[in-house]
Amino acid sequence: MMKKKSISTSRASLVFFLCQMISALDVPLDLSQPPTITQQSPKDYIVDPRENIVIQCEAKGKPPPSFSWTRNGTHFDIDKDAQVTMKPNSGTLVINIMNGGKAEAYEGVYQCTARNERGAAISNNIIIRPSRSPLWTKEKLEPNQVREGDSLVLHCRPPVGLPPPIIFWMDNAFQRLPQSERVSQGLNGDLYFSNVQPEDTREDYICYARFNHTQTIQQKQPISVKVFSTKPVTERQPVLLTPTGSTSTKVELRGNVLLLECIAAGLPTPVIRWIKEGGELPANRTFFENFKKTLKIIDVSEADSGNYKCIARNTLGSAHHVISVTVKAAPYWITAPRNLVLSPGEHGTLICRANGNPKPSISWLANGVPIAIAPEDPSRRVDGDTIIFSHVQERSSSVYQCNASNEYGYLLSNAFVNVLAEPPRILTPANKLYQVIADSPALLNCAYFGSPKPEIEWFKGVKGSILRDSEYVFHDNGTLEIPVAQKDSTGTYTCVARNELGKTQNEVRLEVKDPTMIIKQPEYKVIQRYGQVSFECIIKHDSTLVPMVIWLKDNDELPDDERFLVGKDNLTIMNVTDKDDGTYTCIVNTTLDSVSASAVLTVVARPNPPFDLELTGQLERSIELSWIPGDENNSPITNFVIEYEDGLHEPGVWHYQTEVPGTQTTVQLKLSPYVNYSFRVIAVNEIGRSQPSEPSEQYLTKSANPDENPSNVQGIGSEPDNLVITWESLKGFQSNGPGLQYKVSWRQKDVDDEWTSVIVANVSKYIVSGTPTFVPYEIKVQALNDLGYAPEPSEVIGHSGEDLPMVAPGNVQVYVINSTLAKVNWDPVPLKTVRGHLQGYKVYYWKVQSLSRRSRRHVEKKILTFRGNKTFGMLPGLEPYSSYKLNVRVVNGKGEGPASPDKVFKTPEGVPSSPSFLKITNPTLDSLTLEWGSPTHPNGVLTSYILKFQPINNTHELGPLVEIRIPANESSLILKNLNYSTRYKFYFHAQTSVGSGNQITEEAVTIMDEGKMAMASRQVDIATQGWFIGLMCAVALLILILLIVCFIRRNKGGKYPVKEKEDAHADPEIQPMKEDDGTFGEYSDAEDHKPLKKGSRTPSDRTVKKEDSDDSLVDYGEGVNGQFNEDGSFIGQYSGKKEKEPAEGNESSEAPSPVNAMNSFV
């Protein structure tokens, strides 16, 4: 369905083009033909009297026509007038006005005749009139004295000009006078005031008339208007100023613009409404102008005739006027006569049909002469609006004129009859190339001429069959139309024209291209002001077409601004501003098609500040604030924030008052007395807050008694004999009036005393002296000002000053729970002796001495605080087997009371800490010497040491565990009967009667057997011999030669003997040379190369710190190349480190010896 619609739409778009082609079919200029008028001046020709007059008349024909003119119905002999000349090979007249001629002398009706041997064509009657722009007649203008509210009409009455002038009103400064529903200019140029206001008073109401033809402006004398006021101003219901009366008539011609006007007086200013009685105003052709006072209907037709009513209405009533409109019509063509080309003996007709209101009369002329008196032609017959031709001969060639006229105008058309005998000819160029877009119509032209009229046939290809109507449309002018061209429509098409005098043909080519498409269109964007936005426009097009991409903004060119960056397939706008808001269109043009896509850019920003703040409804405690919102900048306002300033107490400081929804523009505000208010409004949207509005006018509220009393009233003594009363002062706007003061009252609680009061100002504290120590008081603070007191305040309880507690806690008892924790109990002190707010108890405790060492040290006291009225507490973190002292003190707000007598307690034994060190020295083949230090914290009496050890094999597996108990007074031990060259791991801890403490660990290795040491010495000696070094060099050279030969043979292809032998006797023991230092790699177990982890390395002094004792056995590697000092002591762990790793402690970083390398190689 869509496809069908697009085809019919395309066909419709071709109608005008095809009609042009049909009407343009013409006799070739190389053949004889009667004259045809091609150009002429308009019927009503208004000329500038200061310039030469040019009356156009151009025509064509074969032979070329000659020209003559009539003026006012008689022959115009241009040879007798020196001011008039005719252009060569043309009928155009030039009347020389600039050299002394007067335009008025050449006013009249002119007609041109073009003639040759085959007939004569005539032009329209051309009326020549010079334009006129006369001056205003001088007149004495009296000042207009008008009462406020009355209506007024200032008459322009411009001079009669040709054409009529354009009227407008301005002042002395050449500024147009503002117009509105109240003041406007009528169609006749008068200035109408529905009601005058005092601001209408002025002395320079000037009417101007602009004459476009002469480019002159005439000015009327200024008109003075003075408005005088009378109170009250009387309101009036509407009265029509123009048109007058209740009805009027209007005649308009078909095709013109209908203008109807109604202007009314009244106060308030009336509003105009238009209706058509018995019908609707025509849609799409109706417009309202001049504040709806003018009804405009364009391109009127007879159907627009009828009664149109204007209604003027205000609050007091209404007035109306009915305009009866009649639409007449000057003649218009239904069928205009067309040129007729006939061959001898053929038949034909000329038809001339026109319509109008009233219906026009039709008359015929032949060669410019009424046909009734023209020479007779037996081949023609006139039948009303038709001339019938039969059996024409060459002498029948002539030019006929049809004239259709009524009282509103006339139509004149020339049409020739040309009798020729001509074989067919095709006027379209041969091999013309047509290019179209797929799925669009293709039009292949075959412009032809012949007499008799040739028949046209179309073929596709050189040997194709004739094309039929099923897929094609054949037009009378020879054009072939393919309604929906496809890619397979591409090819060569042949047009054949034939008549009885001959045949001819022509070939044209058609190429069908792929359509241009926008495959990614620009999308709707919302961007904040000063941001960056980009629109995409990615296209796909036929490869043979060159697209051109154009970007438009609001259907106009992009602004000339460097912020707009046009890329290959996008448009980027930098630093976006509000002016960039709009519709952006991407247009892609090729020589054959055009596509476009649009997207809207919405620029959002914080709203503009509100304005025109107004205060109304002023009351003592409330006021109404209204405002006008500023531009929301494309993001709706969500709410308004209202702030106030107190110019009396805090000028320049703005406080939050309230906020309202964004749809609300008024708010009722609560006010406090004695505040000089100013308000401002802030608009809020999703982007942010606007700038504050300008402040409103100030509003000072009346004074009143205070509404509230000070808050946060407290009574706390700073000394044992005083009471300090404090409060939070009222803010300025809370004072409600001048002379703000405070009445401070107090009395001792639970004592039958009268209130003591004092009035103070500008303070928030009062000190009562001579009070008993820490007794309760009732306190109240009341606000007052010059107008009176605030409501009675509530009472609060305070206390006079505190003093230090008088007594210490009694009956202090200590219960030892374990070696590190004890519980202390005490009896609470009497509250009267606290002399203040009881805050809690503090326990002071300190270690006197350790029972295991009997040595005294610096005493460091510790303090624990127990809040509230507690009578016990726990003492954690005590040291075992120690003597402690403690005392307890009560605490109030002033400080601590006296201490209780010191209480002594002891903690029981605990487990000891780990030994301070473990050192392994003097390794031999089967023994190691262990030395250790006693624990830093024995935490009791040491009973023994426990030593456990076990061997570690090459796979890091642990052997059987051996345990030895050592007396507590020992500090060293020699372990014997150990295996040589074996690693052992040792675990060592101390014990008390309570249990075992933390252990420390260490590892050590017994030394290697002497026989193996000798073998290693001999290997080193061989490696230093010269013959051994030479042998190694020879072997290396031989291997290098073999590698080179292998490389060459491999490049040439095939196997070679050495390679085969290598494949057959591969030696897995041979290791490649290292690339970094050229030595042979050592063949060894992979475990030999595992690096030691940091936790397993032993410092040079062979001691093990406590923190190193937690290393896991799996962190240790296995080594076999231990090294020794000269005395045979062990200094390394194993040699499985990387060659270039730096030495750490006493470990060796030497590379493997050449002897070992040789052993692994052979």
Side-chain angles (χ1 to χ4, degrees), residues 869-888:
N869 197 21
K870 292 190 70 174
T871 59
F872 70 92
M874 306 298 290
L875 304 180
L878 303 176
E879 293 185 13
Y881 206 50
S882 300
S883 177
Y884 280 87
K885 285 185 179 182
L886 65 76
N887 59 54
V888 183

Side-chain angles (χ1 to χ4, degrees), residues 74 81 232-233 253 313 329 371 460 631 664 729 843 892 1025 1136:
T74 60
D81 192 333
V233 177
L253 293 182
R313 186 183 304 276
I371 200 166
K460 184 176 181 183
D631 192 338
Q664 188 173 329
S729 300
V843 177
N892 66 11
Q1025 300 301 312

